[in-house]
Amino acid sequence: MKVWLTQRAEPTPHDHLEQRRPMRTGLMAEYLSTHGEDVLWWTGDYDHYGQHQRGHGPAEVAVSNNFNIRYLPAVGYKKTKSLARVRYDRKVAEGFVRLSAEYERPDIIIASMPSVELALASVRYGKHNGVPVIVDIRDLHPEVFVDAAPPPLKPLVRFATRRMKASVAELCRDATAIWGNSGTFVEWGCRLGGRARGGQDLTLPIAYKFLEVDELDTSKILQAWQDNGMFLSEHLNVVFFGTLSKSFDFGPVFEAARQLCAKGTRHRFHIFGAGQQQAFISKRCATLANCTFHGPVGAAKLQAAMSVSDIGLAPYIFTDNFASNMPNKTTEYLGGGLTVALAFKTGVLADFLRTTGSGFCYETSNELIQSLINLGEDTQKMAAVRHAAAVAFKQHLGYGTLSQRMHNKIISTVKAYTD
């Protein structure tokens, strides 16, 4: 079976910086190509995370015998929310429209949304060529932009994004099936497309798979940290991994760190990543003896840090998009057996943490402090919550379980479409 994947922003196996963990489309491609399917992934020729042009141009580059990536040339951007990013997304979609005509039709397309432009181009291709298209909803566009706007500007942003919303409505309406990280995402897509949820629509949380890292490399990483007094066994280590965007509120985190530092507790905070808030976070960490800013690092160091940490921070600013989501950050934490500290108390993820006992929710620095103190003082409780996190991941979010579910649904969708 020929499977096309369209996703324009994830790391690919050809990116040559420090080893990176494959994300949702990368994991799909890996699983499908190692289970008998012929995979072609369409993506842009700009490394979103490394922030540089890849240099492949309009080339198809092999990953394995039955997994290729077709790069689409487009000039990149420095800011994720910018006109340059909008132009990039449009250029990638235009490249797909132009070059896809040169290929034999696939049996099915899985189109990531966002980007809206590439997903819409994928759906239109499928409709014109008689190919089933699954739209995989990752974020609620354009609602995320409205949510992020200051209250006085929300009506203006809603008006400015009305064409995008119309495009999303079209692609949801004409998609063969709608997938999403949560049931709420799937239902949102069905509602926007004016359709009832059907048998091929699927709730598919983001899976997580550990990379194979040489044990000696991991030991060297841990030893270097411990030589500098970091990630010691007597500490309760709290970590954050991710893009340091304005989607996160680190204010309560640093206030908690400040008060815990003054109390002389064993809590230590480690922040990994880069982004808009990098200068602010680096400066705050430098003023607190129990905080360390590590900057952006690769998968080997992230996995090493998880192996000696206890709690993973998810300090999201509350929006409908995050409340309806099962974000990959928290899946990664749970995969490492970390307790999740979530910065709001309602929604899909909050309910999941309560049901599985795999984390806690807070809304103020005082609530975060109290939870951290309780877990720091009760080692048995800390161990129980971490065990619950590992169990929750294995039962609900493991790579093998979710990938098999995905593969089975692809097969049934193609069958239902052709019958």
Side-chain angles (χ1 to χ4, degrees):
M1 182 166 58
K2 293 182 180 297
V3 182
W4 284 4
L5 307 174
T6 60
Q7 212 293 332
R8 57 50 171 134
E10 289 188 12
T12 77
H14 301 130
D15 292 338
H16 297 303
L17 296 179
E18 187 174 356
Q19 187 181 25
R20 297 182 186 173
R21 176 180 64 82
M23 299 175 74
R24 187 171 174 93
T25 297
L27 289 175
M28 287 180 177
E30 178 184 314
Y31 187 90
L32 292 171
S33 63
T34 55
H35 286 75
E37 313 300 358
D38 187 1
V39 176
L40 181 64
W41 176 4
W42 297 79
T43 191
D45 191 39
Y46 178 72
D47 183 348
H48 172 77
Y49 292 93
Q51 293 194 324
H52 66 270
Q53 297 295 144
R54 288 179 165 122
H56 299 295
E60 182 177 322
V61 185
V63 176
S64 64
N65 289 337
N66 56 335
F67 173 20
N68 289 358
I69 298 178
R70 181 65 198 244
Y71 291 97
L72 301 166
V75 177
Y77 45 86
K78 294 303 179 185
K79 294 183 179 180
T80 57
K81 295 179 180 178
S82 63
L83 289 176
R85 175 71 178 271
V86 172
R87 288 193 295 268
Y88 175 79
D89 283 353
R90 288 176 180 170
K91 190 71 173 179
V92 169
E94 289 168 2
F96 171 79
V97 171
R98 183 177 67 257
L99 295 171
S100 60
E102 301 176 2
Y103 281 76
E104 180 183 347
R105 289 183 300 172
D107 295 292
I108 193 167
I109 300 172
I110 304 175
S112 173
M113 201 293 288
S115 86
V116 173
E117 291 83 359
L118 185 55
L120 180 59
S122 303
V123 169
R124 287 177 174 173
Y125 174 95
K127 187 176 181 180
H128 180 73
N129 292 282
V131 175
V133 181
I134 294 168
V135 169
D136 183 29
I137 298 175
R138 314 281 187 88
D139 283 308
L140 307 183
H141 280 203
E143 274 76 354
V144 290
F145 305 115
V146 178
D147 286 343
L153 296 181
K154 288 185 186 295
L156 178 62
V157 175
R158 190 173 287 111
F159 178 79
T161 58
R162 67 194 187 284
R163 289 183 62 184
M164 180 185 288
K165 188 167 186 177
S167 294
V168 177
E170 177 187 343
L171 67 89
C172 287
R173 181 194 69 216
D174 293 340
T176 309
I178 293 176
W179 292 2
N181 302 345
S182 69
T184 303
F185 272 31
V186 176
E187 289 149 14
W188 174 87
C190 290
R191 186 168 59 252
L192 196 59
R195 54 190 283 177
R197 180 164 181 165
Q200 302 308 324
D201 299 325
L202 177 68
T203 298
L204 187 72
I206 295 174
Y208 179 75
K209 180 184 179 184
F210 281 92
L211 289 177
E212 293 184 6
V213 180
D214 186 270
E215 291 184 8
L216 181 59
D217 291 341
T218 299
S219 296
K220 289 179 179 178
I221 292 168
L222 293 176
Q223 189 61 56
W225 281 336
Q226 289 165 6
D227 288 345
N228 285 284
M230 295 184 289
F231 291 104
L232 302 180
S233 58
E234 60 264 31
H235 294 160
L236 189 149
N237 292 301
V238 184
V239 294
F240 172 89
F241 307 140
T243 303
L244 306 176
S245 72
K246 294 296 181 68
S247 298
F248 301 104
D249 180 8
F250 287 94
V253 173
F254 283 121
E255 177 58 22
R258 186 188 68 79
Q259 292 193 37
L260 292 171
C261 187
K263 294 176 184 292
T265 69
R266 65 190 187 96
H267 300 83
R268 298 295 183 272
F269 297 79
H270 299 273
I271 299 178
F272 296 80
Q276 293 171 293
Q277 298 199 67
Q278 183 170 342
F280 160 73
I281 289 169
S282 176
K283 185 176 180 180
R284 289 301 306 271
C285 285
T287 67
L288 293 167
N290 61 350
C291 290
T292 304
F293 177 64
H294 296 261
V297 300
K301 286 185 178 179
L302 293 183
Q303 289 183 188
M306 276 202 292
S307 72
V308 289
S309 295
D310 303 284
I311 296 170
L313 291 167
Y316 294 103
I317 294 173
F318 181 86
T319 65
D320 288 339
N321 184 67
F322 288 130
S324 304
N325 203 348
M326 284 287 291
N328 59 354
K329 180 184 313 303
T330 50
T331 300
E332 183 176 7
Y333 291 154
L334 294 169
L338 302 186
T339 299
V340 175
L342 177 64
F344 50 79
K345 298 180 179 180
T346 60
V348 173
L349 180 55
D351 290 343
F352 180 87
L353 296 179
R354 277 191 290 268
T355 301
T356 60
S358 55
F360 64 89
C361 301
Y362 70 92
E363 289 180 343
T364 67
S365 58
N366 285 338
E367 289 177 327
L368 177 58
I369 290 166
Q370 194 56 56
S371 294
L372 292 175
I373 288 175
N374 290 343
L375 291 171
E377 293 177 346
D378 190 340
T379 55
Q380 287 187 335
K381 183 176 181 180
M382 181 77 258
V385 180
R386 290 202 59 184
H387 175 72
V391 170
F393 175 81
K394 183 177 180 180
Q395 291 182 346
H396 302 285
L397 302 169
Y399 168 74
T401 300
L402 291 178
S403 297
Q404 185 176 26
R405 186 189 308 169
M406 169 203 68
H407 197 186
N408 291 342
K409 186 60 72 173
I410 290 171
I411 293 170
S412 70
T413 300
V414 172
K415 185 177 186 301
Y417 188 86
T418 56
D419 284 349

